Amino acid sequence: MQAWVIGNWKQNPATKREVETLVTEIVTANNERSVNNSNTDSSHDKAKTCQLMLAPSCIHLSAVSSRLQDSSILCAAQDISAHSATVGAYTGDCSAQQVADAGATWTILGHSERRQYHQESNEILLAKLVCALEQKLGAVLCIGETQAQYDARDTIKVIDEQLQVVKQLLAQPIAKSMDLDHTLAEQLIIAYEPVWAIGTGKVPTVSEVSATHKHIKEQLASFASKLPAITVLYGGSVNADNADSFAASPVIDGALVGGASLKAESFLAIAKAFS
Ligand code: PGA
């Protein structure tokens, strides 16, 4: 399965200049990595086996997507409006159509910070998923349990509730009109991110993550017999030092990276681990 490493920049960096520097450093280092890989291994272009993606904040989307145009790195939004896929009187929102026009081909949805600070429910996320699909944007749907839920051993219960939105999506006319064998699996990625691991330096063990990923894949498969294997990423304090251990698991298909994606060196080291 194709590996994915996605940089979620959140509300960073502060200035246009810093954004330009960061994206330039990432593109340059990635080009060097591709050249090195093809020089050392002509039979197998390893750089191609890990798809990279960057999710800047909305205001930097156009600049970052323009800079990425001649690279193999994709650009994603961090969120889209639930109210309309196109235009309307929704102050402060950016629609799927607008972020696609700004160069995004994917959007992150349901990040725990959106769930926590913007009370995003399954109902809201279903509306956002439909908007994304209508505008042919891929969606990286984030799920994961809080520390209290982890301590209460409720991880699977919480995840199953959050995954219901995918089941509901499959019943929507937009999903029914898609060829499930190909299109939906290509436009949906699940990112399992335990809330207690995000930005804390605390990580679950690789075997805990692997067991959860196996469960997520089984749940998704149970929703529709035609649905092929969906990519499941791990996120939460992934860094250059621990990426190898997550990459070694056959059911961890890549990483959603926050803090470590703000430095080209650590982001590319994580990409290398998954290549
Ligand atoms: P982190 O964030 O890598 O800084 O823990 C991950 C995320 O929130 O997606």
Side-chain angles (χ1 to χ4, degrees), residues 5-71:
V5 171
I6 304 174
N8 174 14
W9 288 358
K10 309 190 180 184
Q11 199 174 287
N12 301 291
T15 64
K16 284 187 283 186
R17 187 186 289 250
E18 286 170 271
V19 166
E20 176 61 26
T21 305
L22 178 58
V23 71
T24 299
E25 283 173 3
I26 289 175
V27 168
T28 308
N30 188 50
N31 288 346
E32 281 164 13
R33 187 176 73 102
S34 307
V35 170
N36 289 343
N37 280 340
S38 55
N39 283 348
T40 53
D41 188 355
S42 56
S43 63
H44 181 62
D45 185 356
K46 287 184 181 172
K48 278 197 184 134
T49 67
C50 180
Q51 177 65 59
L52 299 186
M53 185 149 77
L54 296 176
S57 65
C58 204
I59 196 155
H60 298 134
L61 209 47
S62 289
V64 171
S65 70
S66 306
R67 189 66 187 78
L68 295 178
Q69 222 157 34
D70 298 325
S71 81

Side-chain angles (χ1 to χ4, degrees), residues 88-110:
Y90 305 107
T91 303
D93 271 12
C94 282
S95 72
Q97 183 182 35
Q98 288 172 321
V99 302
D101 182 60
T105 48
W106 285 76
T107 181
I108 296 173
L109 289 179

Side-chain angles (χ1 to χ4, degrees), residues 147-181:
Q147 180 75 64
Q149 290 163 336
Y150 175 80
D151 292 343
R153 298 180 191 277
D154 279 341
T155 299
I156 296 299
K157 188 173 145 228
V158 171
I159 277 168
D160 284 353
E161 277 162 13
Q162 292 172 335
L163 282 178
Q164 283 304 306
V165 76
V166 178
K167 194 173 184 180
Q168 290 159 3
L169 177 67
L170 291 170
Q172 300 296 308
I174 181 84
K176 282 188 178 158
S177 70
M178 293 174 110
D179 179 359
L180 284 188
D181 284 348

Side-chain angles (χ1 to χ4, degrees), residues 8 10 111-113 193 197-201 235-238 256-260:
N8 174 14
K10 309 190 180 184
H111 190 279
S112 62
E113 287 146 17
E193 299 202 302
I198 295 176
T200 58
S237 296
V238 177
L256 180 56
V257 186

